[in-house]
């Protein structure tokens, strides 16, 4: 390794800066008052509840200080992803030292008084959380749930050629599955078009109560592991600060130069194909570095006991208070802060300036950089409806055309990507490949199709990576869509949860600017899993989504292509939300022309007059409601069955596109008013509701409505296997015959009059079962069924 | 590599066996009739809907045939985990060839007629699913959702010293996060006590529509990657069957010998500490190997087009039918099957015998081997209740004592383990470490605590691994408990889904014997996340669980230690279920003595007479209901507030332990009858329900009940941060004051009479907010609150 350009003097300044960050970190965990330790430490200076995580913090501070030097010397454009986000005090300390914190929160000024407030607010009611969070300047990553740091880093780097993302990964986090897969992201990063990610694996050796796997792995094996992943690993190891500063500075000089070389050669066109050997750093430093070595005779520094609060009860225990006092004074605050409590000038000079400060880099507040997505007019893609239900169209294919042109329109902005686990083509979005490719940095064979180094479709068989990359991409101000098999979106349930939480908190912070919504297109859904079976049948993601705050989530179930076009277009234009779109990819009948689709979607639910038979009756005998493409088709088929069998029946058809319309206005901004809901669903007639997912959700959304007791929901009741499309609906009693039977049974006084009809319908179900068992396909009358309008 | 012991003749027999499996695999995908191709292939012989996955299947068959040789030659005890479970035809074909299939399903006999049924039933309505599934003999693993093969394999190997688990991992699956982390499972496998896992990474190069990451990685990098993970990789690569058979046989001889050496040395005590270098195999073979090379001029074999059905529409397209005909005849069925359609004798001899057949190995039908867990009497651990609510006890710590002794009682059986992501101690189950340790195969330092090579606590910072190992352990007939932070259990939502699906189907198969339930202890829950914050606050897992079939899932919210003891003991004794227990780890008041706890839990919900003030009134003015430890405490505190402020109020307290008791008996076997429910919750009085999680769930569970309109639920409404315990309840309006206010407002005619009480309660909330903002801890009256019985 070449000698660093950094002088001993510079390193000693960096060491002091690091000590200042460590001092402020400890202060946040422990102190209510006496921030500069001008007075002897007394019980009342100490917080009654000691909360937070010290163990990882000095390492985070060490990296931050060294990255500051790189930024200053090279005018580098760097953001910092703090995987061990529970080291929140470190992130807060550093953004305070560089001045960002006080600019955003003027009340936390650069003074003794400000420092006291800085300390007090940490993990304090009404203050800030203990983790890096939306409240933390410079952060796009909450470290609460571990596993997503590196995918966020790559997501941020895509299409940001000048950006360098320094990503710290704790050795705890490195044990998670999502993180283990994230290392492969290097195979999707184009050195020409994208920025760089510098992974820094921070091995402090311990989790909460035991050693870490990688912490106990030899350097030899680690080197092989990361070379096997395709990186060039560099090691920085030790505990004595002075040589550690020198090693870190030298290593950073080398690795940043490597990154620049890779980029330059790629951009000059002098490299051959293949995945560049990007550098990464393995930093081994003691857990709780510079903290108490022992407490009560037990090992703390360099052990898991340093994980949270290394010395407890400093209010009540004088000995412990002495340990804290010694510890904090070991950083020599008078050497760091002036009489007013401001960082001394020679240390202030170590921080970058303006937007180069990692806490102030606009990429970490992506809304600042977000450019509106340019979208084409949806009418240009509409399906013409000459006869309702006649055209059999793959709705997602139509959306694919719209997405293709959206991709083209934003090619110059380079701020739109599609993410999915190897399912773009399977989900019928293949027309995207007319204008772009799958991104692929490994070898490309002559017979490969739609692969290139600069494609804008991101496919990897990891829903975690798709989600994490997209989150990083959105959080840095871009746009995207995640298309996924419906059942397997549950793989990222917890990531959705965390992102929704991030959005909820961000929306409450004026300085965080809106980012584009996270849009899911869930297709290959429960009702059409022809090649697979029960394992691929789960519509429950929307139940999870519906738990989140109403201002953050939307769920759409467009019944055909034109409604899907409206919904897709709408979702791509929203911000600070999670939008879930569930739509089929198989050929299905089309119902609404574009004008009708727009009007229907804008309200979110509506009566389909053309489908019902109520005419000008005062009220219908029954409301046949539906949400989802297959339930809509079965409902309309049931209406035809009913009107043919019992012509005098007054049937109303209601279709719901926007699931949140079912809630009341006080529960959700998209909710129908009670009056509108009652007008639509009546106050006393039976409602047979065919729903795409688990039936409970409809009850949960409507339990406050007047007519709730008469709403009878059919949906997925966990019956499934590899079978025919119609048989899936029969197994779950969502088919036309079951719906018609239930309607007859629920209309007061009807069933005894039409016993023959009920018998005929039950006969149809038997006939179906027999037919599919023999032929392995649905009866011709089912396969060839088409809608006809009532006369 | 040493020359194989296998002769050319033996290899040619293996090749024929492989061809037989391939023939049967293609037949399942395509044929309705004419199974032995005795007649020219006609349209009516071909299925109308062609479903299934060919691409991975020949590789699966290749491995199966070669493992058969090893089993026969060495009398080895082997099960086969088929990661690419969508290669279901291969698993079915092999278990049919070895005779297992016909033993379990006599209708599918070893004859031409049986073969015709075998073909027809595949992916056919009323038949079997297209994936390896519970219906597949020898399988403990459905390959529908990818990522879990290797963790299942390790779970099966733990505590099964004689077992060798051959685990095939597809290169698609290898891109997932959970699989990427699974390789580290070698650090938890004790060669003395546990069996062996032989990972076979099957690189056929492609996913659905593109290449795979590892398929395009060089052997050099793959070697480093797996050496870095701690394995010794062996490569078997090619496409010409003859040399491939030889390579595979040679390699298997070497790797199985390596495994035996590792085991022998460890068991003889001649090895030093550290992770043994277990062998693994990288098998590169063409996707769709031996299938059509091209169809319609497009590359198929060795490309992603071979993924599902390589040649479509063989009914309607004569040219395609010819391709199919040629393809199937290329296996030369007359060389494989006799005139009756039975496999020829010299090939039958290649299969192992009896329980050594991988389809018949009892480890893959774990219920056959399951021994009852020995449990101590829960009364031995009971908390004595001298004064209700007076003792402050950590409920999970009490359960920990019970678990410790359960561990001891089953030490000889070696069939009980505890799994958790580094949280056993944090979750107060630390007394387990009095009798066992965390298992750890890497280096152990002198200052480490509770680490050993043969511990029975499995800690890794991957919820995926905890879940997957436990599933594998249970599916092979053992017992376990997964203790997890409540919020992060969402990480394995989709794994829970898949396991629940597995159980649902298994229960319907008489030959699959019951396995122990999958038990979750969710603690460090939403209401007590003192060191963390919003990211750690999510009680929604039970919402997901409640979507599953009633006969498969249970959710328990024990309010104190004695109820937790009953629930924990009960869950460990059940089978074929998923039990979720949510319980706090912080010191909390204790309510019920053991007799009361048993009576209460057996019904699942009950009136707490001692807490209410209704006396012998005909009906109470209000029902204060609660589920969960913190809601129970706040409810009782609210009752005290109300009875002191308005002594004449008749208050009933109802506590719910078993959430499913809220459903009606027709929805859940644990449901209360409508009569019992009405008696408990009244038919017309206001019910203020304080619930641990998202409030909607209570509505969803009770929407059919008479008094549902009067049930007002308070729960987690997605408000959270790092704050005091009581402040968390206030933020979500679940605290005693909000509950009391709501009770007053809901009791008809009351609120106008007690305006001063409402004002005082609202004043208390203000006082709280002010106090925590200044002091950072809860008001003394909150911290020191204790229950007193009404006089």
């Amino acid at each position: 390794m070449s000698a660093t350009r950094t002088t001993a003097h510079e390193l000693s300044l960096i060491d002091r800066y690091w000590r200042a960050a460590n001092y402020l970190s400890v202060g946040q965990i422990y102190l209510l008052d006496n921030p500069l330790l001008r007075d002897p430490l007394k019980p009342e200076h100490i917080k009654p509840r000691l909360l937070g995580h010290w163990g990882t913090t000095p390492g985070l501070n060490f990296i931050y200080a060294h990255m500051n030097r790189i930024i200053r010397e090279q005018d580098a454009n760097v953001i910092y992803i703090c995987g061990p986000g529970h080291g929140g005090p470190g992130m807060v300390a550093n953004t305070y030292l560089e001045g960002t914190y006080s600019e955003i929160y003027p009340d936390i000024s650069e003074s003794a008084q400000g420092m006291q407030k800085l300390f007090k607010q940490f993990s304090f009611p009404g203050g800030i959380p203990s983790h890096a969070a939306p409240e933390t300047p410079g952060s796009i990553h909450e470290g609460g749930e571990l596993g997503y740091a590196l995918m966020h880093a790559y997501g941020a780097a895509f299409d940001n050629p000048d950006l360098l993302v320094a990503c710290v990964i704790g050795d705890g986090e490195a044990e998670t599955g999502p993180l283990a897969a994230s290392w492969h992201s290097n195979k999707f990063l184009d050195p020409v078009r994208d920025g760089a990610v510098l992974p820094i694996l921070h091995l402090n050796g311990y989790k909460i109560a035991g050693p870490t796997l990688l912490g106990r792995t030899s350097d030899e094996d680690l080197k092989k592991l990361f070379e096997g992943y395709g990186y060039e690993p560099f090691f920085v190891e030790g505990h004595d600060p002075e040589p550690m500063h020198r090693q870190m500075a030298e290593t950073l000089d080398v690795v940043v130069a490597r990154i620049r070389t890779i980029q330059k050669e790629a951009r000059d066109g002098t490299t051959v194909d293949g995945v560049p050997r990007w550098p990464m750093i393995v930093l081994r430093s003691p857990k709780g570095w510079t903290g108490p070595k022992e407490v009560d005779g037990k090992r703390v520094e360099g052990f898991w006991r340093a994980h949270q609060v290394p010395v407890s009860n400093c209010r009540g225990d004088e000995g412990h208070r002495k340990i804290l006092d010694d510890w904090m004074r070991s950083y020599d605050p008078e050497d760091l802060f002036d009489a007013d409590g401001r960082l001394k000038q020679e240390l202030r000079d170590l921080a970058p300036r303006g937007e180069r400060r990692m806490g102030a880099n606009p990429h970490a507040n992506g809304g600042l950089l977000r450019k509106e997505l340019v979208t084409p007019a949806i009418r240009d893609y509409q399906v013409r409806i000459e006869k309702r239900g006649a055209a059999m169209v793959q709705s997602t294919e139509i959306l694919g055309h719209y997405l293709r042109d959206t991709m083209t329109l934003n090619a110059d902005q380079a701020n739109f990507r599609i993410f999915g686990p190897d399912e773009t083509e399977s989900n019928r979005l293949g027309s995207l490949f007319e204008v772009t490719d799958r991104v692929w940095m490994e070898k490309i064979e002559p017979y490969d199709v739609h692969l290139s180094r600069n494609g804008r479709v991101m496919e990897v068989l990891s829903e975690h990576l798709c989600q994490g990359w997209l989150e990083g991409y959105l959080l840095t101000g871009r746009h995207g869509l995640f298309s996924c098999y419906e059942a397997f979106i549950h793989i990222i349930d917890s990531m959705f949860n965390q992102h929704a939480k991030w959005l909820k908190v961000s929306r409450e912070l004026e300085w965080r600017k809106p980012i584009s919504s996270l849009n899911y297109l869930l297709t290959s859904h429960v009702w059409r899993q022809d090649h697979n079976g029960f394992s691929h049948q789960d519509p429950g993601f929307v139940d999870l989504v519906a738990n989140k705050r109403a201002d953050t989530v939307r769920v759409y179930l467009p019944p055909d292509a034109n409604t899907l076009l409206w919904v897709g277009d709408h979702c791509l234009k929203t911000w600070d939300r999670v939008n879930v779109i569930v739509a089929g990819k198989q050929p299905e009948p089309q119902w609404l022309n574009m004008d009708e689709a727009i009007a229907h979607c804008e309200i979110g639910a509506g009566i389909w007059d053309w489908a019902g038979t109520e005419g000008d009756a005062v009220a219908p005998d029954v409301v046949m409601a539906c949400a989802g493409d297959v339930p809509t088709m079965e409902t309309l088929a049931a209406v035809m069955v009913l009107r043919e069998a019992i012509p005098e029946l007054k049937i109303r058809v209601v279709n719901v596109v926007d699931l949140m319309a079912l809630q009341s206005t006080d529960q959700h901004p998209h909710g129908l008013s009670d009056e509108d809901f009652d007008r639509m669903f009546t106050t006393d007639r039976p409602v047979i509701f065919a729903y795409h997912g688990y039936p409970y959700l409809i009850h949960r959304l409507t339990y406050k409505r007047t007519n709730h007791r008469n709403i009878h929901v059919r949906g997925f009741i966990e019956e499934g296997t590899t079978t025919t499309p119609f048989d899936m609906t029969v197994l779950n009693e969502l088919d036309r015959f079951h719906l018609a039977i239930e309607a007859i049974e629920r209309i007061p006084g009807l069933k005894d009059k039409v016993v023959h009809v009920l018998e005929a319908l039950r006969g149809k179900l038997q006939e179906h079962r027999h037919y599919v068992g023999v032929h392995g396909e649905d009866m011709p009358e089912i396969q060839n069924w088409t809608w006809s309008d009532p006369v």
Side-chain angles (χ1 to χ4, degrees), chain A:
Chain A
M1 193 168 297
S2 65
T4 183
R5 301 172 299 234
T6 316
T7 65
H9 176 65
E10 284 170 322
L11 290 176
S12 84
L13 286 172
I14 290 174
D15 183 68
R16 286 171 65 202
Y17 197 93
W18 178 48
R19 278 158 40 208
N22 288 341
Y23 181 85
L24 294 178
S25 302
V26 183
Q28 289 177 76
I29 296 173
Y30 282 96
L31 296 192
L32 264 184
D33 209 344
N34 189 17
L36 287 157
L37 294 185
R38 299 267 159 81
D39 301 313
L41 203 49
K42 293 181 194 150
E44 61 267 29
H45 296 150
I46 294 169
K47 295 185 182 188
R49 302 171 71 243
L50 298 176
L51 304 174
H53 295 78
W54 164 248
T56 183
T57 302
L60 296 174
N61 292 340
F62 181 81
I63 297 164
Y64 206 105
H66 281 268
M67 289 309 301
N68 276 345
R69 179 185 67 84
I70 292 288
I71 295 169
R72 265 188 303 109
E73 288 187 2
Q74 309 192 13
D75 190 30
N77 184 5
V78 181
I79 64 171
Y80 188 113
I81 305 271
C82 175
H86 55 287
M91 295 301 97
V92 171
N94 275 290
T95 52
Y96 179 77
L97 287 176
E98 72 191 20
T100 323
Y101 208 90
S102 303
E103 288 168 24
I104 293 176
Y105 304 108
D107 197 40
I108 310 290
S109 59
E110 295 184 65
S111 66
Q113 191 189 26
M115 194 187 293
Q116 182 269 330
K117 288 182 178 169
L118 181 84
F119 287 0
K120 181 183 167 184
Q121 68 164 4
F122 175 80
S123 285
F124 205 83
I128 61 167
S130 63
H131 293 202
E135 292 92 336
T136 316
S139 179
I140 60 163
H141 178 82
E142 164 126 20
E145 184 173 288
L146 299 174
Y148 318 129
L150 193 53
M151 45 184 90
H152 284 166
Y154 276 96
F158 295 141
D159 289 315
N160 271 326
D162 297 329
L163 189 65
L164 170 60
V165 185
C167 178
V168 186
I169 299 142
D171 42 358
E173 176 162 25
E175 294 182 10
T176 68
L179 201 292
S182 299
W183 296 105
H184 289 301
S185 303
N186 56 353
K187 283 125 197 159
F188 298 87
L189 189 86
D190 178 3
V192 177
R193 170 184 61 170
D194 301 323
V197 173
L198 173 60
I200 302 167
L201 178 65
H202 182 208
L203 303 181
N204 63 33
Y206 299 91
K207 296 174 295 211
I208 305 179
T212 58
L213 294 178
L214 296 184
R216 291 271 163 106
T217 300
S218 69
D219 281 1
E220 190 192 343
D221 276 358
L222 288 177
K223 183 165 183 289
K224 283 181 182 166
L225 183 65
F226 291 107
E227 287 179 355
Y229 273 118
Y231 294 85
E232 181 183 10
F234 292 81
F235 291 79
V236 176
E237 307 185 338
H239 54 86
D240 187 359
E242 196 276 330
M244 282 292 278
H245 283 301
R246 179 159 303 279
Q247 268 193 69
M248 187 69 179
E250 286 174 356
T251 304
L252 275 178
D253 285 342
V254 173
V255 301
V256 174
R258 282 279 206 289
I259 288 169
R260 298 306 176 209
T261 304
I262 289 169
Q263 290 178 327
K264 184 166 188 314
E265 290 181 354
R267 292 170 193 184
D268 292 349
T270 55
T271 38
V272 291
D273 277 359
V275 184
R277 293 267 155 189
W278 296 101
M280 56 86 66
I281 295 174
V282 177
L283 169 64
R284 285 197 202 258
S285 70
K287 187 149 187 155
W289 197 10
T290 72
K293 303 275 176 281
E294 278 196 356
V295 175
D296 300 338
K298 289 190 170 163
R299 183 184 175 91
V300 175
E301 192 201 37
F303 201 52
W304 52 258
R305 289 193 195 90
H307 184 72
Q308 290 180 336
V309 177
V311 48
S312 62
N313 188 21
C314 297
R315 266 199 166 188
D317 185 318
E318 203 179 322
H320 283 198
R321 196 161 59 250
K322 175 72 167 54
I323 292 173
L324 173 63
D325 196 50
D326 290 348
W327 173 16
M328 291 195 73
R329 289 186 200 279
S330 76
Y331 299 122
D332 197 0
E334 292 184 14
D335 183 44
L336 310 171
F337 302 99
D338 67 16
D340 297 330
R342 279 167 56 99
L343 187 67
K344 290 194 174 174
Q345 190 58 46
E346 65 272 27
L347 301 184
R348 301 176 73 80
D349 292 341
L350 299 187
R353 297 282 163 261
E355 294 192 348
R356 288 303 196 218
R357 292 171 298 176
M358 290 188 280
N361 191 309
H363 291 287
N365 184 4
L368 290 171
L369 301 175
R370 177 177 178 266
K371 292 186 194 127
E372 292 292 326
L373 193 70
V374 185
T375 54
I378 56 174
R379 285 183 191 277
D380 295 348
Y381 309 90
Q382 66 183 293
V383 175
R384 303 273 169 197
I385 306 294
E386 285 165 19
K387 181 175 172 314
R388 285 191 204 275
M392 295 295 280
V393 169
Q394 298 180 313
S395 296
T396 55
E397 185 185 3
I398 302 297
L399 183 70
H401 302 331
Y402 166 91
L403 291 173
R404 172 198 61 206
D405 294 346
T406 303
M407 190 61 83
T408 303
L409 288 169
N410 296 278
D412 290 345
Q413 295 194 166
N415 63 347
F416 183 51
R417 294 198 186 205
I418 304 283
F419 301 77
D422 188 28
E423 293 158 7
T424 310
E425 191 84 66
S426 164
N427 291 338
R428 310 290 186 265
L429 304 178
S431 59
L432 280 159
F433 297 124
E434 297 168 21
V435 301
T436 188
D437 293 307
R438 298 177 182 87
V439 60
W440 190 258
M441 299 301 299
E442 293 187 288
K443 194 174 177 202
I444 296 177
E445 301 288 353
Y447 45 81
D448 279 329
V449 289
H450 307 317
L451 289 189
S452 73
R453 290 170 77 84
N454 58 3
R456 306 195 71 76
V457 173
M458 313 284 300
E459 286 196 350
V460 62
L461 214 161
S462 164
E463 287 78 1
H464 290 111
L465 280 180
C466 293
Q467 171 84 13
W469 288 343
L470 175 54
E471 287 177 2
Y473 200 64
L474 298 174
L475 286 159
T476 47
R478 282 79 65 77
H479 308 266
L481 176 79
F482 180 3
S483 126
C484 189
Y485 278 22
E486 181 188 46
F488 300 149
I489 198 67
H490 273 300
I491 291 171
I492 56 75
D493 275 5
S494 55
M495 297 182 75
F496 152 78
N497 269 342
Q498 298 297 337
H499 189 72
K501 283 173 181 284
W502 179 279
L503 291 178
K504 185 247 181 196
V505 175
S506 292
R507 291 165 70 111
E508 295 163 2
L509 298 168
E510 200 273 328
W511 64 273
R512 284 242 175 227
K513 298 306 171 196
I515 61 167
S516 296
S517 298
L518 200 169
N519 300 308
Y520 295 101
L521 174 64
L522 305 187
T523 180
S524 304
H525 63 51
V526 54
W527 303 109
R528 295 302 304 271
Q529 269 300 339
D530 303 13
H531 274 275
N532 300 294
F534 195 38
S535 63
H536 286 54
Q537 292 158 347
D538 188 303
F541 183 65
V542 298
D543 298 70
L544 185 89
V545 169
N547 273 342
K548 292 295 154 194
R549 289 182 52 106
D551 48 5
T552 312
V553 295
R554 303 286 184 273
V555 178
Y556 298 95
L557 294 150
D560 66 4
N562 286 339
T563 48
L564 176 60
L565 276 171
W566 185 92
V567 168
D569 180 67
H570 173 76
C571 291
L572 284 171
K573 290 171 175 164
T574 64
W575 55 87
D576 280 353
R577 285 187 199 156
V578 176
N579 298 307
V580 182
I581 310 169
V582 186
K585 70 181 187 185
Q586 303 292 351
E588 288 176 324
Q590 300 295 308
W591 309 112
L592 302 186
N593 67 37
M594 190 45 92
D595 285 335
E596 291 167 337
I598 293 169
H600 186 52
C601 292
E602 279 177 351
I603 296 172
I607 299 171
W608 282 4
D609 287 324
W610 54 266
T613 59
E614 60 182 320
D616 49 8
V618 176
D621 297 311
V622 64
V623 177
M624 302 293 284
C626 47
D629 49 8
V630 167
T632 298
M633 181 175 73
E634 290 306 312
T635 293
L636 292 187
V639 168
M640 272 177 62
V641 165
L642 285 169
R643 84 179 189 226
E644 281 159 22
I646 316 170
E648 65 276 20
L649 266 193
K650 305 295 180 199
I651 307 170
R652 173 178 296 177
V653 174
V654 172
N655 180 270
V656 179
V657 176
D658 178 346
L659 214 54
M660 298 302 155
L662 293 174
Q663 288 191 299
S664 28
T665 36
D666 65 335
Q667 292 175 302
H668 198 284
H670 283 203
L672 292 171
S673 71
D674 281 335
E675 297 69 34
D676 287 341
F677 189 94
D678 289 352
R679 257 195 299 274
M680 205 175 280
F681 289 93
T682 80
T683 55
D684 58 356
R685 299 305 150 112
V687 178
I688 312 302
F689 200 129
Y691 169 56
H692 173 86
Y694 291 102
Y696 294 116
L697 184 62
I698 301 300
H699 289 297
R700 172 178 138 173
L701 295 172
T702 60
Y703 74 92
K704 289 195 172 181
R705 301 296 194 173
T706 314
N707 199 30
H708 174 243
R709 274 184 186 267
N710 290 315
I711 298 180
H712 308 284
V713 187
R714 288 176 177 270
F716 183 63
I717 51 172
E718 206 65 20
E719 290 293 339
T721 184
T722 318
T723 188
T724 67
F726 185 68
D727 196 46
M728 269 301 294
T729 66
V730 175
L731 290 175
N732 290 280
E733 304 183 356
L734 181 76
D735 61 280
R736 55 199 68 182
F737 304 123
H738 276 101
L739 294 176
I741 291 169
E742 175 142 32
I744 291 169
E745 289 180 338
R746 295 291 182 183
I747 296 169
L750 180 61
K751 71 178 169 191
D752 294 338
K753 295 180 200 153
V754 294
V755 172
H756 60 291
V757 175
L758 287 172
E759 274 171 16
L761 292 172
R762 292 191 184 112
K764 279 289 174 198
L765 287 166
Q766 282 180 358
E767 191 185 332
H768 155 75
R769 179 135 300 288
H770 178 74
Y771 190 94
V772 296
V774 173
H775 298 276
E777 59 182 347
D778 289 321
M779 298 187 289
E781 69 176 90
I782 300 293
Q783 289 198 53
N784 303 326
W785 175 82
T786 52
W787 168 258
S788 65
D789 286 331
V791 279

